[in-house]
Amino acid sequence: MNLDYSDGDKELKSELRRFLQKACPPTRVRKVLDGDSREPRRLTSELAEMGWLAAAMPERFGGQELSYVALCGIAEELGRALAPTSYGSSVFLTAEALLLAGSEVQQRTYLPALASGQKIGTFALVEGRGPIRPEHVSCTWRGGKLTGEKLAVADGLDADVAIVSAQSNSNVQLFLVDLDVPAVTRASQKSVDPTRLVAKLTFRDAPAEPLGNGADWSVLQRVLDRAAVLFAFEQLGGADMALEMARDYALSRYAFGRPIGSFQAIKHKLADVYIANELARSNAYYAAWALAKNAPELPLAAATARVAACEAFERAARENMQVHGGVSATWAHDCHLYYRRARHLGSCIGTVNQWRDQAARLLIAQCAA
């Protein structure tokens, strides 16, 4: 079994890397950090113009119908560049939910718009502290109207449509909501990563329609499993770039007449990061295979990849700051950008502990079978 990228996928990754080096240098990421809230939508539009948003969507909806493995490669390159874009919210979550459970009318309405960048989608699940579970949902849907609040909605300020979890007839289901209506209000929220804008969404009898034939919590879990694989690749790209930054600095920074990379303590740090990255890579590649084949192993593979990627990116970003020393904590240096993104991605679809619990439950079930 060869789990590596094909030659075509490698060329696709290289092309996107060249594009992002020009279109999304660190200076552009910093524009968002410094308060320019228009940049994420601009970058998303540029990605759409080049066809990157439509890469893995079906041709009948304006996509190129590339493989999920290709989409994983795109996610990895976006992670390397710390791209401040709504790609994950629109493609990894909203488009996947529509493809998995949306009706034909919903797919025809929203998928071409998401592929072209005309609309941005997002997922609204969180209402407070704690894991993403049905018992933590208090939003309600009655008579076609949605009422309640959702917190820390990624790209919630830019999104045009949201998929929202809500209680309906004592059952949690998913609903499609147009955010550009008076019944929906948005408020910016502070985040550990200011380059990824999050918002509180308040629904006051907002018009909403069920996703498909009434997608329930089991559908949401399937969407999150798929997204976990894609976000794992985004985290892997960030972890690799953080390691490269630390390595390059260790080779160029001199102390006591020699590069600090020659000191054993620095070597051990970088070796530990490399091992964690490679472990995450092996888990992510296996999960990509399971996603592409829609294999029964996907839930466990996704949880394992998610846990390994969260830990690898957080370690790589932290040790990158340690290798750089005090300058890494200054606003002007780029090190903290990777640490901020690691913390953001580590909680965007549930915490690492939630995914660790899922992996444990599935392993116990396998052993008991």
Side-chain angles (χ1 to χ4, degrees):
M1 181 185 296
N2 181 12
L3 299 179
D4 196 6
Y5 292 111
S6 68
D7 290 341
D9 292 334
K10 289 178 181 177
E11 180 57 35
L12 186 75
K13 279 169 60 22
S14 297
E15 182 62 30
L16 179 56
R17 184 176 299 187
R18 288 190 291 268
F19 170 79
L20 289 172
Q21 285 172 346
K22 295 180 179 179
C24 188
T27 52
R28 188 167 193 181
V29 180
R30 284 190 167 276
K31 286 184 179 180
V32 186
L33 186 70
D34 293 333
D36 189 344
S37 60
R38 297 169 296 178
E39 279 299 321
R41 184 134 199 165
R42 289 171 181 162
L43 179 57
T44 301
S45 296
E46 292 170 18
L47 289 167
E49 290 174 4
M50 298 297 294
W52 296 110
L53 289 181
M57 293 192 193
E59 289 184 358
R60 69 181 188 276
F61 299 126
Q64 303 170 40
E65 208 157 335
L66 300 182
S67 68
Y68 275 112
V69 175
L71 187 58
C72 289
I74 292 172
E76 188 174 351
E77 294 305 319
L78 292 172
R80 281 184 63 92
L82 292 184
T85 171
S86 58
Y87 197 107
S89 296
S90 271
V91 178
F92 300 167
L93 288 167
T94 308
E96 281 300 308
L98 286 163
L99 287 168
L100 186 63
S103 67
E104 182 67 25
V105 172
Q106 290 170 343
Q107 291 176 348
R108 290 200 308 267
T109 300
Y110 292 106
L111 285 175
L114 293 173
S116 65
Q118 294 177 358
K119 287 186 181 295
I120 289 176
T122 188
F123 251 47
L125 304 176
V126 176
E127 297 182 18
R129 293 183 178 181
I132 300 174
R133 291 178 181 166
E135 58 267 26
H136 295 158
V137 176
S138 59
C139 278
T140 58
W141 182 84
R142 292 188 181 90
K145 305 291 185 179
L146 184 72
T147 300
E149 287 185 349
K150 294 294 183 178
L151 305 177
V153 179
D155 307 298
L157 295 176
D158 283 335
D160 304 291
V161 61
I163 295 179
V164 184
S165 59
Q167 295 279 354
S168 174
N169 299 322
S170 302
N171 185 32
V172 175
Q173 296 182 344
L174 299 179
F175 299 90
L176 272 167
V177 185
D178 183 353
L179 299 181
D180 295 322
V181 296
V184 179
T185 58
R186 321 180 197 211
S188 178
Q189 289 188 297
K190 290 184 178 180
S191 168
V192 68
D193 182 7
T195 68
R196 293 304 310 274
L197 306 179
V198 299
K200 178 177 76 172
L201 302 183
T202 302
F203 307 97
R204 296 183 177 90
D205 290 332
E209 61 178 292
L211 179 66
N213 295 320
D216 59 13
W217 197 261
S218 63
V219 173
L220 173 60
Q221 187 58 60
R222 292 174 64 191
V223 174
L224 292 179
D225 287 342
R226 292 167 177 239
V229 180
L230 298 166
F231 279 116
F233 275 89
E234 185 174 351
Q235 292 168 298
L236 180 60
D240 282 344
M241 191 62 194
L243 175 58
E244 291 178 18
M245 288 176 65
R247 178 204 62 195
D248 293 346
Y249 185 77
L251 293 174
S252 62
R253 175 73 166 90
Y254 276 68
F256 306 106
R258 53 192 290 196
I260 63 172
S262 65
F263 297 126
Q264 191 175 53
I266 300 297
K267 290 179 180 179
H268 285 179
K269 280 182 180 294
L270 298 184
D272 288 342
V273 171
Y274 176 80
I275 291 170
N277 285 10
E278 291 305 300
L279 176 62
R281 192 183 320 280
S282 62
N283 282 302
Y285 279 19
Y286 179 68
W289 167 83
L291 175 62
K293 298 296 184 181
N294 197 24
E297 297 91 342
L298 177 58
L300 178 56
T304 306
R306 172 70 173 163
V307 172
C310 285
E311 293 178 345
F313 194 8
E314 197 277 336
R315 176 194 288 267
R318 184 183 67 245
E319 296 294 5
N320 183 32
M321 295 184 71
Q322 290 290 323
V323 170
H324 278 79
V327 69
S328 66
T330 62
W331 190 259
H333 205 279
D334 290 339
C335 278
H336 67 94
L337 299 179
Y338 285 86
Y339 189 76
R340 290 173 183 275
R341 184 61 59 85
R343 302 296 291 183
H344 169 79
L345 291 177
S347 61
C348 63
I349 52 171
T351 65
V352 64
N353 286 335
Q354 181 178 343
W355 288 96
R356 190 178 285 115
D357 288 345
Q358 175 173 317
R361 288 196 306 271
L362 292 170
L363 285 171
I364 292 172
Q366 282 188 4
C367 293

